[in-house]
């Protein structure tokens, strides 16, 4: 690579490095030299994508001052990184990050592992399950039967197929939230919906308040849109949202928009109660902040006593005027990730603005997939398919919880009542080093800092309910093996893993 394309300040890099806290070394474990620990820390940040490839690193003297170490330590670390292929330098141009030849560029989100790699690697990176058959096949067959009239048109529906918009509106109305089709836009998944909302409401440099932790891919989407993320800490355990902190952030930071996952929060699994939802909406309205409510997990209740009658009302139910809340839904989590259909529910003027802006983005969502989802909604297939999904997730959750408790009893977590993810405190081990060591022993797991801002949550990993039975048992065995490598310092010795998948 010939030149750097971005820059990393000394203070920012120091914050990221200082977040990497390992368990104290045990008896007989030799700590690496200071320069080696620094080189390993930077290498991990590059491999995880938290420091971009081709990012110019601060000068040796600047970083030494920020870290309170000698310049000799930084110089030796930089030299080690150059030798290993993680740093390139040129006189007069400085030093910038790189990856060794043969290594794929690290992604900064949580992309699914390629299917051809699943034979040797247990994938705990992507929180998605296989399709709930036979309903996928039936939906596609039903869509094909309904396709001919649409095939005689141009096929571009920027707001979505009228039939599907009407069906989504009716479903909200049935939940007690009167909704017109003019309040709905169909999108290419929830990511497409949130991307469109961010571009409409939050230009480059605008503040966006986010839960801390929050969904990694959405955080990265917002970063790349140029937003300034304002983290708001979640309350301990599964108790949810600290309303005093939210009110303070909205009052003091005045974010243009705020993003929340009130239904089985990703990654913690927390479920916001009705009073919390009401207070969040009131705080947003008082501050003039637009609240994006992501309800992609809202139908994935797993515990007895939870159903459509006992679940808290949607966040938008507390915004009758429709001025403060934009709701995002999706078929990807409740049905199948390969069904890239999402939607936005908002005031009609917001929908009109989103549709108008779409002419410069993707023009519209694929017709056949919209017809498939509409078929599911029309026939009752959706409810039966989602019930299959709940059964899969429930069995996987229980198997994974039992396996982790058996193999890693020192790891701490609370079992969520729904959703697809388990948020685990790793007994003092670095989540980044666990992720790297996991690649070596055949288990892919995202580290906690993926879900935070500026290196937070180094002592966590996220485990999704995507495997069950014997595979869940083996995943826990491999995680325990990765933990032993980290405890022994094996993942900090400068050896580069053969492959890395973000």
């Amino acid at each position: 690579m010939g030149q750097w394309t971005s820059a990393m300040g000394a203070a920012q890099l120091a914050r990221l490095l200082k977040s990497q806290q390992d368990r104290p070394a045990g008896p007989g474990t030799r700590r690496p030299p200071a320069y080696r620990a620094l080189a390993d820390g930077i290498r991990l940040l590059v491999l995880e994508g938290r420091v971009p490839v081709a990012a110019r690193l601060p000068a040796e003297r600047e970083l030494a001052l920020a870290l309170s170490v000698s310049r000799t330590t930084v110089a030796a670390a930089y030299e080690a990184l150059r030798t290993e292929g993680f740093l390139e330098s040129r006189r007069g141009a400085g030093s910038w990050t790189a990856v060794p030849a043969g290594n794929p560029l690290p992604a900064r989100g949580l992309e699914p592992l390629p299917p051809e790699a699943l034979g040797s690697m247990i994938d705990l990176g992507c929180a998605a399950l296989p399709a709930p058959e036979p309903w996928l096949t039936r939906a596609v067959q039903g869509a094909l039967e309904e396709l001919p009239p649409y095939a005689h048109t141009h096929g571009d529906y920027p707001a979505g197929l009228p039939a599907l918009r009407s069906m989504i509106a009716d479903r909200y109305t049935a939940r007690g939230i009167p909704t017109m089709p003019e309040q709905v836009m169909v999108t290419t998944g929830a990511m497409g919906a949130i991307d469109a909302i961010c571009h409409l409401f939050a230009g480059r440099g605008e503040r966006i308040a986010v839960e801390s932790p929050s969904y990694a891919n959405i955080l990265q989407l917002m970063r790349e849109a140029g937003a300034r993320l304002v983290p708001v800490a979640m309350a301990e355990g599964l108790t949810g949202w600290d309303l005093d902190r939210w009110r303070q952030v909205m009052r003091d930071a005045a974010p243009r928009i705020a993003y929340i996952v009130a239904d089985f929060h990703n990654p913690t699994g927390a479920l916001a109660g009705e009073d919390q939802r009401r207070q969040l909406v009131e705080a947003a309205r008082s501050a003039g902040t637009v609240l994006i409510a992501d309800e992609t997990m809202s139908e994935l209740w797993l515990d007895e006593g939870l159903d459509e009658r006992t679940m808290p009302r949607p966040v938008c139910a507390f915004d009758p005027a429709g001025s403060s809340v934009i709701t995002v839904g999706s078929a990807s989590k409740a049905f199948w990730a390969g069904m890239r259909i999402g939607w936005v529910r908002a005031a009609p003027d917001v929908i009109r603005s989103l549709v108008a802006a779409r002419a410069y983005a993707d023009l519209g969502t694929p017709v056949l997939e919209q017809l498939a989802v509409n078929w599911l909604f029309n026939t009752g297939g959706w409810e039966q398919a989602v019930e299959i999904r709940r059964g899969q997730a429930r069995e996987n959750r229980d198997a994974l919880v039992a396996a982790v408790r058996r193999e890693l009893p020192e790891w701490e977590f609370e079992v969520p009542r729904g959703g697809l993810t388990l948020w685990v405190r790793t007994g003092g081990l670095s989540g980044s080093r666990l992720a790297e060591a996991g690649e070596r022993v055949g288990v892919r797991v995202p580290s906690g800092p993926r879900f935070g801002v500026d290196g937070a949550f180094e002592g966590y990993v996220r485990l999704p309910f995507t495997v069950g039975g014997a595979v869940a048992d083996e995943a826990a065995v491999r995680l325990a093996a990765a933990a032993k490598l980290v405890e022994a310092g094996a993942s900090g010795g400068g050896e580069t893993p053969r492959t890395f998948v973000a």
Side-chain angles (χ1 to χ4, degrees), residues 114-127:
E116 62 270 16
L118 292 176
S120 59
M121 183 75 69
I122 297 176
D123 185 10
L124 297 181
C126 184

Side-chain angles (χ1 to χ4, degrees), residues 176-178 183 281 285 315-325 345 347:
I177 305 130
Q183 290 178 262
V281 173
R285 186 182 298 118
V315 175
C316 59
F318 303 97
D319 180 39
S323 59
S324 299
V325 178
R345 182 201 178 274

Side-chain angles (χ1 to χ4, degrees), residues 371-385:
L371 288 172
V373 172
N374 195 56
W375 184 92
L376 288 165
F377 286 156
N378 263 320
T379 61
W382 177 267
E383 285 72 21
Q384 295 184 61

